[in-house]
């Protein structure tokens, strides 16, 4: 189906755009009352994410209600470990929790490479339903967690400020670490390719915990696995978003991805110099959206002027925070459109 609005894809490919495309990480979520109504009906986050009709409904909401230039499928990065045989729970106020974790070669042998058509069919069905609902209005983004970020949860069992359990494995048992990372990578490649076959127009790799690693560790335990994913996917553009990995921008620029996402701590001019041949995405501090409308407009105008309107996809430097006023979000989106036209 031909897209009516293909700004995101043209920007990702480095083609000329009449204005900058804009979307937001976590745009389908608690900022919208309409999302909260569906979430309440579902009864739990996991029920919502695993029910294709509901997942498709909340994926479409930001397109209908906020005017973004892309939808991103409503799911979770932790569907991959579950598909590999390590289920998780979503605890209220605490986030994801894994009842069992992986620490030894024997634990690893109990896991399998995810088979998306069976293990993750609910995501693929949600993508197909979303594509029907979009009817070509905007592109659909698929995504997965980067292997190291998934490794963190599979070994730590929950969120953490330091992920010291995960990092201990890198130092104490690198053989185990590489075996688990490879298994996650193989599962992720299969999963992203299945998302593309189901209708995703672009895929994003989220390395949410990149910033806890030293540059040397990142080049050993994260980048090689992201490289495998980028090299394997040639059907659609790929975005790599490595939060906190300011030290790896040059190395990320050498990956076979089309777009590099920046967090709000990454200087724009410096990033352009380090990543001259790719499209950049980002990077407004999500907390700017707590400011006045005039301040939001001022910050957006400054951001667009620094990035320039070409080879650029406007976004936040991380996911939109759940208590953000939807009208402030609309101000952000409308300001991008105004100042980049």
């Amino acid at each position: 189906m031909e897209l009516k609005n293909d700004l995101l894809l043209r920007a990702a490919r480095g083609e000329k755009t009449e204005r900058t495309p804009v979307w937001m990480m976590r745009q389908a979520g608690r900022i919208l009352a309409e999302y909260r109504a569906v979430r309440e009906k579902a009864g739990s986050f996991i029920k919502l994410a695993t029910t294709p009709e509901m997942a498709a409904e909340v994926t479409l909401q930001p397109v209908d209600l906020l005017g973004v230039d892309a939808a991103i499928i409503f799911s979770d990065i932790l569907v991959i470990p579950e598909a590999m045989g390590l289920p998780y729970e979503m605890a209220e106020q605490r986030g994801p929790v894994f009842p069992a974790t992986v620490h030894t070669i024997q634990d690893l042998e109990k896991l399998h490479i995810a088979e998306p058509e069976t293990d993750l069919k609910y995501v693929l069905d949600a993508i197909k339903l979303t594509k029907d609902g979009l009817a070509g209005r905007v592109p659909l983004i698929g995504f997965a967690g980067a292997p190291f970020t998934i490794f963190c949860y599979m070994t730590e069992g929950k969120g953490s400020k330091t992920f010291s359990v995960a990092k201990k494995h890198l130092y104490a048992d690198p053989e185990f670490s590489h075996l688990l990372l490879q298994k996650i990578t193989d599962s992720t490649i299969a999963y992203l390719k299945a998302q593309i076959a189901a209708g995703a127009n672009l895929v994003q790799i989220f390395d949410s915990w990149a910033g806890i690693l030293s540059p040397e560790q990142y080049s050993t335990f994260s980048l090689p696995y992201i490289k495998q994913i980028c090299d394997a996917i040639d059907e659609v553009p790929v975005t790599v978003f490595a939060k906190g990995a300011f030290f790896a921008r040059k190395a990320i620029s050498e990956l076979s991805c089309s777009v590099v996402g920046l967090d709000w701590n990454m200087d724009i001019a410096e990033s352009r110099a380090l990543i001259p041949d790719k499209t950049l995405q980002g990077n407004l501090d999500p907390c700017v959206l707590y400011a006045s409308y005039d301040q939001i407009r001022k910050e957006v105008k400054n951001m667009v002027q620094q990035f320039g309107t070409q080879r650029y996809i406007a976004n936040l430097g991380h996911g939109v925070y759940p208590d953000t006023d939807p009208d402030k979000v609309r101000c952000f989106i409308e300001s991008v459109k105004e100042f980049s036209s």
Side-chain angles (χ1 to χ4, degrees), residues 90-106:
M90 193 63 77
E92 291 296 332
Q93 309 303 321
R94 287 181 59 204
V97 176
F98 284 84
T101 49
V102 185
H103 298 288
T104 65
I105 299 292
Q106 290 72 32

Side-chain angles (χ1 to χ4, degrees), residues 17-21 272 304 307-312 339-341:
T17 55
E18 50 274 21
R19 70 163 173 83
T20 298
R272 277 284 186 210
V304 172
F307 273 106
T309 60
Q310 301 300 309
R311 295 212 84 152
Y312 174 45
F339 295 126
S340 67
S341 296

Side-chain angles (χ1 to χ4, degrees), residues 10-328:
R10 281 191 280 140
R13 294 191 295 256
E15 298 169 8
K16 186 172 175 57
T17 55
E18 50 274 21
R19 70 163 173 83
T20 298
V22 55
W23 68 282
M24 294 177 307
M25 292 177 278
R26 293 195 189 134
Q27 65 187 17
R30 284 177 285 174
I31 58 167
L32 295 173
E34 292 82 357
Y35 165 87
R36 295 193 296 272
V38 180
R39 166 69 173 77
E40 188 175 348
K41 185 168 65 174
S44 72
F45 172 87
I46 290 178
K47 178 70 172 175
L48 173 54
T50 56
T51 305
E53 294 78 12
M54 289 183 172
E57 182 179 355
V58 296
T59 300
L60 292 167
Q61 286 173 348
V63 179
D64 297 328
L65 301 170
L66 301 174
V68 289
D69 292 308
I72 180 165
I73 193 65
F74 183 83
S75 187
D76 193 274
I77 62 171
L78 299 181
V79 299
I80 276 289
E82 183 158 67
M84 293 171 66
L86 199 73
Y88 73 106
E89 300 164 357
M90 193 63 77
E92 291 296 332
Q93 309 303 321
R94 287 181 59 204
V97 176
F98 284 84
T101 49
V102 185
H103 298 288
T104 65
I105 299 292
Q106 290 72 32
D107 293 338
L108 189 53
E109 287 169 351
K110 297 173 187 173
L111 304 176
H112 64 273
I113 305 298
E115 297 178 5
E117 297 295 343
T118 52
D119 300 322
L120 293 158
K121 185 176 183 295
Y122 59 89
V123 180
L124 307 184
D125 288 345
I127 288 174
K128 292 169 187 173
L129 288 171
T130 301
K131 291 291 283 190
D132 289 343
L134 285 171
R137 284 179 289 162
V138 295
L140 177 62
I141 302 167
F143 71 91
F148 174 70
T149 286
I150 301 302
F151 176 97
C152 284
Y153 286 103
M154 293 179 77
T155 54
E156 198 94 17
K158 61 184 185 303
S160 166
K161 291 180 179 177
T162 61
F163 281 103
S164 56
V165 173
K167 287 181 70 176
K168 180 177 77 172
H169 281 294
L170 307 183
Y171 287 110
D173 199 346
E175 180 190 5
F176 160 82
S177 300
H178 283 298
L179 286 170
L180 177 53
L181 285 162
Q182 189 60 57
K183 209 159 200 174
I184 297 167
T185 301
D186 293 342
S187 296
T188 303
I189 290 170
Y191 179 43
L192 288 174
K193 282 187 168 288
Q195 289 187 46
I196 294 163
N201 301 105
L202 179 148
V203 294
Q204 178 158 317
I205 301 164
F206 285 87
D207 206 357
S208 305
W209 299 113
I212 68 168
L213 293 177
S214 68
E216 183 179 356
Q217 279 188 316
Y218 196 72
S219 67
T220 302
F221 293 104
S222 186
L223 268 176
Y225 298 100
I226 294 176
K227 182 179 187 300
Q228 285 186 45
I229 297 169
C230 291
D231 289 347
I233 295 172
D234 55 11
E235 301 94 329
V236 300
V238 176
T239 299
V240 174
F241 175 64
K243 186 177 183 294
F246 62 92
F247 51 80
R249 284 173 292 173
K250 182 66 177 171
I252 291 171
S253 78
E254 295 166 2
L255 296 172
S256 54
C257 61
S258 299
V259 183
V260 178
L262 307 179
D263 69 37
W264 69 89
N265 288 318
M266 296 177 181
D267 182 78
I268 295 169
E270 183 182 65
S271 298
R272 277 284 186 210
L274 288 168
I275 312 168
D277 301 319
K278 295 191 188 298
T279 296
L280 298 183
Q281 176 175 279
N283 72 337
L284 195 73
D285 184 344
C287 284
V288 167
L289 302 188
Y290 294 129
S292 67
Y293 293 102
D294 286 345
Q295 184 69 19
I296 292 169
R297 286 172 53 79
K298 179 182 174 183
E299 297 282 350
V300 170
K301 184 176 183 179
N302 180 52
M303 179 180 74
V304 172
Q305 285 176 339
Q306 288 188 71
F307 273 106
T309 60
Q310 301 300 309
R311 295 212 84 152
Y312 174 45
I313 297 166
N315 207 311
L316 304 177
H318 197 230
V320 61
Y321 297 141
D323 61 343
T324 305
D325 182 343
D327 286 333
K328 299 288 184 71

